[in-house]
């Protein structure tokens, strides 16, 4: 092999490895992304996902706690999702608070594996704040 | 008064760093300039002036925080007179403006360090490196002064401050940003060396020799900074984990991976003069990732507890700095890079080849983290869909790549420069194979139903651990009589550093595997008087009492931990309410032992219905941070015990 064709071969091998690697990374990514929706964005098709995140406000008067089990509803004022969660709720979980729940749907009830409410009283998860603004429900300052 | 003086000092620093950026560079480029030598030497003077004025300004800000001067807006917004002194001080950098100033302080400290160091280096190179540091300093001083002035006054001054976020009132978090910044900013030195090298294309073994200690120092600080952050998240957030693949964590991991690659590739440049253009590219990438780490995160682009502010003017400024810091060096690289490519052949079985494999894997790991972190952002901009990428993605991509890297970490040190293997390589690898099998078997016999990945993980720890120890023994030969001390002295600092750092990786793996594979978690609703079983031990829940801290009130659970009927300790997990900030935080109670931690978190509830309690037993979890300390220690040994360069004239001919 001459120097030039050798360099070409090396370049081809590197390019093949790089594109193969990026392909593997992207396919791993496609399998593991978790989509975020507000209750009104949900469709029956979207509810079949293995994992998703639902964000909104905890509906007033919806929280029932029984031992470790909590039932409550997430609302964006246009639609409501019933949530069932077993485990410890975050400090700032309360009615009217903006939260994000991660989990999956079973029989139209959202079984949350994780409930996030950030540590700041005035804090609103960014996704929740944006979608609530779109709905015109909430006009606070998301940077706080 | 102090605030105005400090503000003025920052302007003086801006002018000095402007001069530091321009004059030495002009002196080093202008061929017919009679005062070229003087201009280049002036870099030292301007570096010192900029350094001391920035330090003065920073001290002024710290003083405003200590004395609770609420006429300074920043103090009002981020401090409170009832806060303990240490958190008044750390409050200085617990916000955007102050943390930016801290960033600049560390930048000028590094410049001054180079200016005053006794390192032997070419005067032209030194002038240019300081000039590039001056450019970076100027950009950030302008950023601070024109968009994020820390010394803005309030009139009238309020009676008291609005407090610092209570979860930031913590010793781990007081130390975490300075340490992390020391690492981020330290990489600016690598960047400055890369750009200086690109200006004249003189990148050689000597260039790498001078640069390497700075990269090592930055790498050590970055390692410790990330570890401190992870330790803080472990005990403070109360989620029981130590790494969450949060965008902010990823943002610090990327420069670390790139810096680790740089540390290894610059070794190749120093020893053989190969990989020059790649090393330069890596230095630029590492510093760019540091900038991304500090500023994209802080600008609030990525959702996180860490983001401070989202002011569009700041965002634009940051983006501008990023574009210039990445764009110009890359343009320079496109122009000079091809001249730096060395055409020497590399043998497949050689130390160089091993280090190339290291760089390949670390670059792949960086790319994986980069894609996982920024893909959600890109997708949201492109389609509006909001997604998160969680641990499963990183488990599927990052972990396999790092596993291959650990396999290579055992082999690399057994390879010889240019070509071949060390005489003891075969024995060492055989021993490592036995170590791997024993570790896997031990895991299998201890725990039922281990996954294949877990068995492989244990095997990797055994493989690397035995290979490091065996390599060390073969080189020192402690059992062969005669001149033992002589043999010890023959081994250079960087080799010791490598052993210690690589062994740190083994300790880290033991911790990560122990915590990941053998942890026990119990979530329960308990009433006072209940006893909870946790990994063979009994936790007796006595009740919850109200207590008072310096600036908070608590609900404190009292839990006695028993083993075989003998009381081991009493743990007090609590919820704290900070009236000044009107916030509640959860404080986990942790009993730390080398063999493992007991970790208890108090949830909501009352005496009637019981309290939610989360209890964990985490075997060997301390090894995670112990391992990172070893890694940093290894880096430190490599810097401090370097052999001095061979005596030769380094002044230009």
């Amino acid at each position: 092999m001459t120097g030039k064709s050798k360099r070409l071969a090396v370049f081809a091998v590197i390019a093949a490895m790089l594109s193969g690697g990026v392909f593997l990374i992207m396919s791993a990514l496609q399998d593991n992304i978790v989509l975020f929706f507000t209750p009104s964005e949900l469709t029956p098709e979207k509810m079949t996902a293995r994992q998703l995140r639902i964000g909104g406000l905890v509906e007033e008067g919806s929280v029932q706690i029984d031992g470790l089990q909590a039932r409550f509803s997430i609302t964006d004022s246009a639609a409501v999702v019933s949530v069932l969660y077993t485990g410890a709720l975050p400090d700032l979980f309360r009615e009217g608070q903006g939260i994000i729940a991660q989990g999956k749907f079973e029989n139209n009830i959202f079984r949350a594996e994780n409930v996030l409410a950030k540590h700041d009283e005035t804090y609103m998860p960014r996704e929740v704040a944006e979608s609530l603004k779109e709905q015109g429900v909430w006009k606070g300052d998301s940077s706080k | 008064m102090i605030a105005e003086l400090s503000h003025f000092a920052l302007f003086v620093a801006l002018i000095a760093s402007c001069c530091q950026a321009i004059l030495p560079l002009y002196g080093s480029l202008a061929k017919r300039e009679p005062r070229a030598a003087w201009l280049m030497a002036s870099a030292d003077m301007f570096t010192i002036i900029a350094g001391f004025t920035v330090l003065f300004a920073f001290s002024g800000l710290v003083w405003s925080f200590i004395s609770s001067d609420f006429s300074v807006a920043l103090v009002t917004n981020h401090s409170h007179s009832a806060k303990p002194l240490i958190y008044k001080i750390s409050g200085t950098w617990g916000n955007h403006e102050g943390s930016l100033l801290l960033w600049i302080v560390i930048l000028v400290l590094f410049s001054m360090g180079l200016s005053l160091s006794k390192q032997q280096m070419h005067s032209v190179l030194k002038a240019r490196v300081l000039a590039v540091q001056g450019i970076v300093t100027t950009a950030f001083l302008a950023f601070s002064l024109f968009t994020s002035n820390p010394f803005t006054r309030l009139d009238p001054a309020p009676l008291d401050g609005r407090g610092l976020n209570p979860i930031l009132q913590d010793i781990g978090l007081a130390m975490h940003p300075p340490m992390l910044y020391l690492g981020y900013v330290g990489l600016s030195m690598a960047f400055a060396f890369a750009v200086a090298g690109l200006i004249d294309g003189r990148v050689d073994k000597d260039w790498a020799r001078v640069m390497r200690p700075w990269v090592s120092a930055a790498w050590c600080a970055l390692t410790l900074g990330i570890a401190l952050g992870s330790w803080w998240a472990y005990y403070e957030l109360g989620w029981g984990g130590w790494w969450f693949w949060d965008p902010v964590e990823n943002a610090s991991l990327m420069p670390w991976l790139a810096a680790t690659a740089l540390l290894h590739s610059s070794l190749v440049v120093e020893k053989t003069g190969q990989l020059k253009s790649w090393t330069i590219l890596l230095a630029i990438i590492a510093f760019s990732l540091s900038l991304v780490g500090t500023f994209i995160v802080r600008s609030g682009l990525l959702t996180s507890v860490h983001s401070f502010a989202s002011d569009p003017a700041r965002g634009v400024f940051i983006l501008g700095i990023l574009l210039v810091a990445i764009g110009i060096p890359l343009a320079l690289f496109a122009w000079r890079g091809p001249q730096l490519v060395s055409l020497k052949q590399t043998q497949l079985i050689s130390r160089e080849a091993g280090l190339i494999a290291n760089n390949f894997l670390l670059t792949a790991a960086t790319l994986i983290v980069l894609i996982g972190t920024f893909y959600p952002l890109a997708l949201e901009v492109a389609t509006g869909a909001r997604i998160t990428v969680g641990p499963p993605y990183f488990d599927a991509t990052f972990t396999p790549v790092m596993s291959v890297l650990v396999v290579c970490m055992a082999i690399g040190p057994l390879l010889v420069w240019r070509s071949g293997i060390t005489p003891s390589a075969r024995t060492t690898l055989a021993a490592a194979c036995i170590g791997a099998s024993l570790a896997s078997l031990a895991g299998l016999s201890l725990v039922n139903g281990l996954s294949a990945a877990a068995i492989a993980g244990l095997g990797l720890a055994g493989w690397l651990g035995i290979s490091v120890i065996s390599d060390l023994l073969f080189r020192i030969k402690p059992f062969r009589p005669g001149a033992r001390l002589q043999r010890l002295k023959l081994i250079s600092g960087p080799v010791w550093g490598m052993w210690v750092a690589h062994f740190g990786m083994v300790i880290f793996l033991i911790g990560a595997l122990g915590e990941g594979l053998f942890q026990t978690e119990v979530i329960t609703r308990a009433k006072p008087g209940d006893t909870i079983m946790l990994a063979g031990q009994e936790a007796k829940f006595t009740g919850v009492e109200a207590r008072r801290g310096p600036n908070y009130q608590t609900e404190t659970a009292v839990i006695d931990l028993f083993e075989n009927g003998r009381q081991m300790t009493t743990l007090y997990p609590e919820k704290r309410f900070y009236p000044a900030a009107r916030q509640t935080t959860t404080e986990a109670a942790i009993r730390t032992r080398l063999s493992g931690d007991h970790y208890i978190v108090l949830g909501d509830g009352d005496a009637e219905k019981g309290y939610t309690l989360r209890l964990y037993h985490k075997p060997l979890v301390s090894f995670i941070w112990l391992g990172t300390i070893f890694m940093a220690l290894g880096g430190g040994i490599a810097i401090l015990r370097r052999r001095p360069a061979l005596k030769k004239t380094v002044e230009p001919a």
Side-chain angles (χ1 to χ4, degrees):
Chain A
M1 255 207 247
T2 65
K4 199 171 180 181
S5 63
K6 195 168 184 176
R7 210 178 296 176
L8 209 64
V10 169
F11 181 74
V13 168
I14 291 174
M17 279 164 76
L18 196 67
S19 46
V22 170
F23 173 76
L24 285 177
I25 293 175
M26 291 312 279
S27 55
L29 197 55
Q30 286 308 322
D31 293 342
N32 291 304
I33 57 172
V34 182
L35 284 154
F36 171 90
F37 300 111
T38 58
S40 56
E41 287 171 350
L42 282 170
T43 59
E45 190 187 318
K46 287 174 183 165
M47 286 164 65
T48 58
R50 262 193 309 167
Q51 277 276 301
L52 47 133
R53 285 162 30 116
I54 311 270
L57 303 177
V58 181
E59 196 177 33
E60 299 283 345
S62 71
V63 181
Q64 295 169 14
I65 293 180
D66 175 24
L68 280 177
Q69 229 176 41
R71 281 172 189 279
F72 57 91
S73 304
I74 296 180
T75 177
D76 58 359
S77 80
V80 176
V81 171
S82 306
V83 183
L84 183 65
Y85 173 68
T86 309
L89 288 164
D91 290 340
L92 287 170
F93 179 89
R94 63 184 67 127
E95 292 178 355
Q97 171 83 14
I99 59 150
I100 293 178
Q102 181 166 338
K104 59 173 183 280
F105 276 98
E106 273 173 27
N107 307 324
N108 278 331
I109 290 182
F110 190 68
R111 282 186 182 272
E113 289 155 19
N114 246 317
V115 174
L116 299 172
K118 289 279 169 104
H119 281 260
D120 190 326
E121 276 219 320
T122 50
Y123 179 84
M124 185 68 77
R126 186 174 62 99
E127 295 96 327
V128 176
E130 278 169 12
S131 54
L132 287 178
K133 274 183 188 166
E134 282 162 23
Q135 305 273 338
V137 176
W138 183 69
K139 298 177 183 71
D141 178 8
S142 69
S143 68
K144 282 261 174 83
Chain B
M1 189 61 190
I2 286 187
E4 280 69 32
L5 275 178
S6 303
H7 194 197
F8 176 73
L10 278 190
F11 274 104
V12 177
L14 181 68
I15 295 164
S17 62
C18 245
C19 298
Q20 178 195 341
I22 297 165
L23 298 183
L25 199 59
Y26 171 73
S28 77
L29 291 172
K31 294 225 167 55
R32 260 171 296 194
E33 173 61 52
R35 284 158 303 168
W38 181 85
L39 283 171
M40 284 195 282
S42 74
D44 288 320
M45 182 180 75
F46 291 120
T47 304
I48 302 295
I49 295 175
F52 278 108
T53 44
V54 168
L55 283 177
F56 177 83
F58 185 68
S59 316
L61 189 62
V62 174
W63 177 250
S64 302
F65 269 85
I66 292 176
S67 61
S68 290
D69 179 358
F70 294 121
S71 67
V72 176
L74 198 65
V75 181
T76 304
N77 289 333
H78 301 282
S79 194
H80 192 278
S81 54
K83 224 160 49 167
L85 178 67
I86 170 115
Y87 301 128
K88 281 185 185 165
I89 298 174
S90 70
T92 314
W93 52 80
N95 56 77
H96 169 77
E97 290 83 352
S99 69
L100 181 62
L101 193 56
L102 176 69
W103 209 92
I104 299 169
V105 166
I106 296 173
L107 189 62
V108 296
L109 283 179
F110 269 104
S111 302
M112 287 205 288
L114 178 71
S115 178
L116 299 174
S117 83
K118 295 197 182 79
Q119 263 187 321
Q120 289 185 4
M121 64 189 286
H122 204 295
S123 60
V124 174
L125 179 62
K126 185 172 179 182
R128 284 181 180 157
V129 171
L130 285 177
V132 178
Q133 285 286 101
I135 296 171
V136 180
T137 315
T138 307
F140 282 102
L141 276 173
F143 182 31
S144 172
L145 281 167
F146 302 129
T147 74
S148 322
N149 178 14
F151 298 108
T152 312
R153 288 283 195 181
L154 276 182
D155 190 28
L159 288 175
D160 215 329
R162 288 202 236 151
L164 173 80
N165 188 342
I167 62 166
L168 304 182
Q169 282 184 37
D170 177 86
I171 190 71
L173 208 64
M175 299 186 305
H176 164 63
M179 196 52 101
L180 198 61
Y181 279 17
L182 209 55
Y184 281 161
V185 179
L187 288 175
S188 74
M189 293 294 280
F191 174 81
F193 271 96
V195 175
L198 282 175
I199 290 173
D200 58 3
R202 279 184 57 160
V203 178
D204 47 22
K205 294 180 185 178
D206 213 49
W207 173 88
R209 176 187 62 79
V210 189
M211 178 181 77
R212 268 177 62 76
W214 299 101
V215 179
S216 304
W219 181 86
C220 289
L222 198 51
T223 308
L224 289 178
I226 295 172
L228 273 172
S230 142
W231 182 55
W232 170 78
Y234 169 72
Y235 72 73
E236 179 68 27
L237 292 181
W239 298 339
W242 54 276
W243 191 263
F244 302 97
W245 295 107
D246 175 275
V248 170
E249 294 171 330
N250 296 347
S252 65
L253 185 61
M254 287 188 279
W256 186 85
L257 291 166
T260 312
L262 179 61
L263 208 56
H264 291 88
S265 78
S266 56
L267 180 64
V268 179
V269 181
E270 187 181 347
K271 296 287 181 187
T272 73
Q274 286 168 284
L275 291 191
K276 284 185 289 199
S277 60
W278 168 245
T279 300
I280 290 216
L281 187 62
L282 211 48
I284 296 168
I285 291 172
F287 183 57
S288 309
L289 288 172
S290 292
L291 288 180
V292 170
T294 340
F295 295 109
I296 293 293
V297 163
R298 291 263 148 125
S299 70
L301 262 176
L302 299 170
T303 321
S304 164
V305 270
H306 294 66
S307 38
F308 285 146
S310 23
D311 172 356
R314 285 176 187 167
V316 169
F317 209 114
I318 290 166
L319 215 60
I321 291 182
L322 263 179
L323 283 179
V324 172
I326 301 172
I328 293 182
L330 282 186
L332 264 175
F333 183 78
W335 172 51
R336 283 288 190 190
Q339 301 172 23
L340 295 173
V341 173
S342 59
L343 293 168
K344 262 192 266 176
Q345 286 278 338
T346 303
Q347 297 295 320
L348 190 60
I349 307 294
S350 68
R351 181 66 76 79
E352 297 92 302
L355 288 167
I356 289 170
N358 153 303
N359 267 244
F360 177 78
L361 292 164
L362 283 168
T363 311
T366 313
L367 193 67
I368 285 167
V369 180
L370 188 76
I371 291 177
T373 308
F374 286 101
Y375 182 71
L377 201 64
L379 195 71
E380 185 170 346
V381 170
T383 69
R386 288 182 289 250
I387 64 158
T388 46
V389 173
Y393 161 75
F394 294 98
D395 289 343
T397 51
F398 185 78
T399 312
V401 170
M402 289 313 262
S403 303
V404 179
L405 185 69
V406 172
V407 172
C408 294
M409 277 171 79
I411 303 169
L414 308 175
L415 302 171
V416 179
W417 291 106
R418 319 245 182 262
S419 175
I421 53 176
T422 60
S424 60
R426 285 192 179 82
T427 327
T428 295
L429 285 183
C433 281
I434 296 170
S437 327
L438 287 180
S440 302
L441 285 175
L444 273 175
S445 63
L446 275 173
V447 182
N448 288 325
L450 272 189
S451 69
I455 296 166
L458 289 169
L460 283 176
W463 161 262
L464 183 58
I466 297 298
S467 103
V468 173
I469 293 169
S470 157
D471 187 32
L472 188 146
L473 290 180
F474 272 115
R475 296 221 200 163
I476 300 171
K477 303 186 183 73
F479 308 117
R480 187 181 292 176
R484 286 197 179 87
L485 211 62
Q486 214 89 60
R487 284 201 298 270
L488 267 181
K489 279 187 184 160
L490 268 178
I491 291 165
S492 68
V495 172
W496 276 113
M498 174 200 70
W499 279 332
V500 173
H502 282 194
F503 200 71
M505 185 71 181
V506 177
I507 300 174
F508 168 84
L509 279 175
I510 292 172
L513 290 164
E515 197 266 354
L517 304 181
F518 306 117
Q519 95 157 333
T520 318
E521 178 181 358
V522 177
I523 300 180
T524 182
R525 194 86 172 174
K527 286 181 186 155
D530 286 358
T531 297
I532 305 137
M533 293 299 294
L534 174 70
Q537 279 120 13
E538 290 168 13
K540 191 165 182 301
F541 177 40
T542 314
V544 173
E545 51 193 53
R547 293 187 181 186
R548 233 165 222 297
N551 54 350
Y552 55 82
Q553 297 139 22
T554 75
E555 274 189 309
T556 306
V558 180
I559 296 166
D560 296 311
L561 219 54
F562 290 92
E563 188 174 37
N564 304 324
R566 191 176 56 85
Q567 183 171 359
M568 296 194 293
T569 186
T570 307
L571 287 174
Y572 305 96
E574 62 189 23
K575 279 187 179 299
R576 287 183 187 168
F577 177 67
Y578 290 78
R582 302 181 45 74
Q583 282 185 47
T584 309
T585 67
T586 304
E587 300 290 316
I590 307 172
R591 174 185 187 263
T592 301
R593 292 292 179 275
L594 210 53
S595 59
D597 286 11
H598 290 88
Y599 185 112
I600 305 184
V601 184
L602 172 67
D604 60 320
D606 53 46
E608 285 284 293
K609 291 186 216 145
Y611 291 87
T612 304
L613 289 176
R614 270 184 300 143
L615 304 94
Y616 300 90
H617 178 237
K618 293 172 172 292
L620 305 176
V621 68
S622 302
F623 280 63
I624 292 171
W625 301 291
L626 195 65
T628 58
I629 292 173
F630 266 74
M631 291 184 205
L633 197 66
I637 294 172
I639 306 170
L640 296 177
R641 295 198 29 94
R642 280 174 81 82
R643 294 222 178 90
L646 295 174
K647 287 269 180 279
K648 59 178 178 186
T649 46
V650 287
E651 285 306 303

